[in-house]
Amino acid sequence: MAMTRDWTPYVSAYLDDELEPAERTAFEEELARNPGLREEMEEMRKMKSFVGGMTLRELPDKAWDHYRERTYNRMERRVGWILLSIGAMVLVGYGLYELVVFLVSDAEPAWWIRAAIGAACVGLAILLVSVIRERIFVWKRDPYREVKR
Amino acid sequence: MLQAQAEIETLNERALLVRCQQGDRTSFDPIVLRYMRQATAFALGWTGNQQDALDLSQEAFARAYRSIRTFDATRPFFPWYHRILKNLCLNHMASAARRHEVPLVDREEFQHAGLTPEQHAEREELRRQVWQALRRLDPSHREILILREFQQLTYAELSTVLEIPRGTVMSRLHEARQKLRRQLEPMLTSQEPRGYGDD
């Protein structure tokens, strides 16, 4: 049994003037004998002319003035953030080590140190719970999560 | 003639990218200048916000440069860059809702058609509805419509940028338009938009 060709995708290509000459001829012959295809084409022509009158808003000229410089600033900033993060992690790690050493020693911490430790622990717990809750919320509602990246 | 010019540009681009891979940052300048408008327009089609579009396209260039050594310089740059930008746009869309505007305007030939303020308001409403309909499409359909309808890429260019065969370009674009048409059905049946002619 001969396979029937699906001409539907050719409708858009025909309207966009993107068919090869041979394809165009074959499509026009099919169009002449296929009322369903003609109807599809009229619907599509209408839709295309509707949307075809619109375009994306142009950005003002001044938006491009320092585009390149801002792009390079981003590259440099990234290096800055990496170095800052490494330095901060080392310092925080050292601070935590000193804190643990201090706590395991017999010295009684001052009240303000105990208060600061308590506040940091509670704050960290709140942030952790909040971030996890937000991630779950966003993940459940993300319409693009199935999209191949 | 145009094809020859395009080939020269491709060769130049390849040479520039090889120099970038060797650590010459200034060679990245012409690449940024060449694609910044196209890239920002694409991001605007996703975000609807000009500042976000600028930020995302710049960030994509910065990431592209950082990963330039992994890029295969025998292949065209833009499809590779486009994939980075698209992923950034998708991540941006998935994060908390941000303020966005309707980034659609009438084409220049329709802007000074002597419309009354009421007709201008009506057109504004039509643009808003088209934008909302576009936002409801799935990403692959939305992407191809942005590139074709608003950036006027040819099918050959779509095939290169999206890295899909021409036949898939034809079918995906047509499906996208069918879905957009279904979204706009009430408007298309109730009124003929004034001033929009066949192109």
Side-chain angles (χ1 to χ4, degrees), chain B residues 28-193:
Chain B
F28 202 56
D29 281 4
I31 307 283
V32 173
L33 291 174
R34 181 173 182 188
Y35 294 116
M36 63 184 186
R37 287 171 191 270
Q38 190 178 353
T40 307
F42 177 76
L44 181 62
W46 284 98
T47 63
N49 181 293
Q50 293 191 344
Q51 191 53 53
D52 286 350
L54 282 166
D55 287 345
L56 288 168
S57 62
Q58 285 163 1
E59 180 60 26
F61 278 120
R63 288 188 186 198
Y65 184 76
R66 280 200 297 272
S67 311
I68 201 73
R69 284 188 176 83
T70 66
F71 172 67
D72 177 1
T74 60
R75 299 175 69 87
F77 172 78
F78 193 72
W80 180 70
Y81 167 81
H82 178 264
R83 216 165 43 232
I84 297 172
L85 177 59
K86 177 183 153 184
N87 285 342
L88 280 175
C89 289
L90 288 169
N91 290 339
H92 174 87
M93 305 292 289
S95 63
R98 293 163 206 248
R99 190 177 74 86
H100 72 271
E101 301 129 14
V102 176
L104 299 177
V105 290
D106 286 344
R107 286 193 190 286
E108 205 169 329
E109 58 267 35
F110 301 123
Q111 281 177 3
H112 308 291
L115 300 181
T116 64
E118 291 75 22
Q119 286 168 329
H120 272 296
E122 188 184 317
R123 291 273 276 270
E124 184 65 43
E125 175 60 16
L126 292 177
R127 289 196 296 271
R128 193 186 65 76
Q129 294 200 31
V130 168
W131 174 242
Q132 293 300 334
L134 271 172
R135 283 174 68 84
R136 284 192 290 268
L137 295 179
D138 64 69
S140 65
H141 290 142
R142 184 171 174 186
E143 175 183 42
I144 201 165
L145 282 173
I146 292 169
L147 293 171
R148 173 66 202 177
E149 304 292 356
F150 305 132
Q151 297 196 270
Q152 277 81 50
L153 265 63
T154 63
Y155 283 27
E157 289 167 335
L158 287 171
S159 173
T160 305
V161 170
L162 299 176
E163 297 172 306
I164 53 177
R166 178 175 169 271
T168 311
V169 168
M170 280 169 63
S171 54
R172 188 181 295 176
L173 182 59
H174 192 72
E175 271 174 26
R177 282 180 175 156
Q178 282 178 321
K179 288 190 175 172
L180 185 64
R181 189 181 68 192
R182 280 197 282 277
Q183 300 263 3
L184 297 173
E185 196 78 67
M187 269 193 297
L188 289 169
T189 49
S190 67
Q191 58 188 307
E192 284 287 340

